[in-house]
Every structure is written in structure tokens, then in C-alpha cells.
Amino acid sequence: MKAIPRMSMADAATESLREEIAAGNWPVGHRIPPETALIESLGVSRTTVREAVRGLVHAGLLQPRQGDGTYVVATNATEVALRRRLLTATHDDIADVRRGLDVIAARLAAERRTEDQLKHLRQTLDARAAAGAALAEEDFATADVAFHLAVAEVSGNDVLAELYSSLSEAMALDLKGGQCFSRFITGQHDWHEGLFIAIRDGDVHAAATAAMALIDNAGAGEGEIG
């Protein structure tokens, strides 16, 4: 029987980072501490930290963003597999899933919203409008997804919010280069404001109708849904 080899410093550092992610200390969407902070907290060299981070990037748990640090994109192997599948999903498949999630989220949000949550919803919608006015398509897509994710969070159903969060990256990719941005900047009808008003007014039926209309009126074959 072969002796079990001792864990290398890089493997130990990788495991420590993995534990932080698995424990929820660094949730999905969270930017991990900078390299200097990791060197200090782990007590290892810069080379070891870089190797550990690179290993988790390769494993699909982390994603580097140029000029903005490294972010958690999955917490375990199951989430990695789901994320990779969603990133290759077709527009129609994403739309079908969203039809179910968006309507439920909108109905619950209209029933359960608080004043603070409405302020946050308004802020995400204003950020979307500002990005559109600035012709910043990537920021527009990010703000659009943030609005829909906020609606799911306002629903008060944690499982629903987590399911929606798992779709957010695929949604953002689906939006870029699509018709939602061009419709907005050309002044065509935008259903997002109607959805916000229905949630604000506590109108469950109107919220569900607006959520469905937002998806259905994206237009067949346009390649994205906002």
C-alpha cells in the first residue's frame, strides 16, 4: 500500500479557499479578497496563492474579471455543471424557464414588497435607464438582470431567488447584442416600468400580466428577453 502523500502548500491553500466558498463566507457574485490579503491570511507565498486561485478558476468556482478582481461563480461541482449548462442554453430554453419564474416572482413581490425593497427596485430600474441613456450596453444588461433578480428577492422566497440567481449570468449574455437595448434607446414601449408600478401598487394580477407581457412581447426570434 502506498503512503498517502502530504498535501502541498498549493493544495492546502486551494482547500482553504474552497472551504471559504463552501461555507458561504464568499457567496456567488462575491469578489474574493485581493491577492495581498490572501497571502497574509493564508501565510503563504504569492506564487502559492496564484496557483490556488488558478486551480479554482479551472474548477469553475472562480472567474477573473480584468481590472475588477476575481469573483465566485459557483460554490460546488453541481453549481459548476449547472452554470456551464446554462451558459450554452438557447434563448428559447431560457425564455421558457423565465416564463414560470418571472410570473411567480412578480405575484409574490406584489403581495410582500416593503418600502425599502421598493426603493431598491426603483434604484435598479433607474440604473438601467441611466445605462441606456449613456448607450452603455453592458451596464444596461447588468442593470436589467439586477432588476429582475431584485424582483425575485422581493418575492420573499429564498428558493425562487436562488433559482433566478443561477440564471442571471446566462440572462446577461442573452441580453447583450439583442433587441431589448435597441428598443429602449429608440423609445419603444418598455414593460419594466409597468411591472414596477404593479408591484408598488400591490396589484398581483397586473404584476403577473406585466411579467408575462415583458417576456412575450420581446418578440419571437429576436434572440433575447429583457
Side-chain angles (χ1 to χ4, degrees), residues 7-74:
M7 186 178 291
S8 70
M9 290 296 291
D11 288 341
T14 300
E15 190 58 30
S16 292
L17 299 185
R18 193 189 299 272
E19 287 174 358
E20 289 294 315
I21 295 170
N25 297 328
W26 299 342
V28 171
H30 178 87
R31 182 171 58 189
I32 69 171
E35 191 175 82
T36 51
L38 293 177
I39 291 170
E40 183 177 349
S41 62
L42 294 173
V44 296
S45 68
R46 185 179 304 273
T47 299
T48 298
V49 166
R50 289 181 177 177
E51 186 175 345
V53 171
R54 188 163 53 245
L56 293 182
V57 169
H58 181 72
L61 300 182
L62 298 178
Q63 180 183 66
R65 299 179 187 174
Q66 189 170 2
D68 193 29
T70 301
Y71 285 77
V72 178
V73 293

Side-chain angles (χ1 to χ4, degrees), residues 120-201:
H120 178 59
L121 277 179
R122 182 72 262 173
Q123 288 170 352
T124 60
L125 207 52
D126 289 346
R128 179 179 181 272
L135 303 182
E137 186 172 5
E138 186 165 346
D139 291 342
F140 180 86
T142 299
D144 188 286
V145 172
F147 171 73
H148 290 290
L149 182 55
V151 172
E153 291 170 346
V154 172
S155 75
N157 187 308
D158 290 341
V159 174
L160 177 60
E162 288 177 15
L163 285 171
Y164 214 98
S165 179
S166 69
L167 282 173
S168 59
E169 189 175 2
M171 285 170 56
L173 287 175
D174 199 40
L175 277 165
K176 293 174 185 176
Q179 296 298 314
C180 185
F181 180 68
S182 62
R183 285 199 309 274
F184 182 88
I185 63 176
T186 55
Q188 297 180 48
H189 185 77
D190 186 8
W191 295 91
H192 293 73
E193 189 68 33
L195 176 56
F196 170 78
I197 291 172
I199 292 172
R200 181 198 66 192
D201 294 347

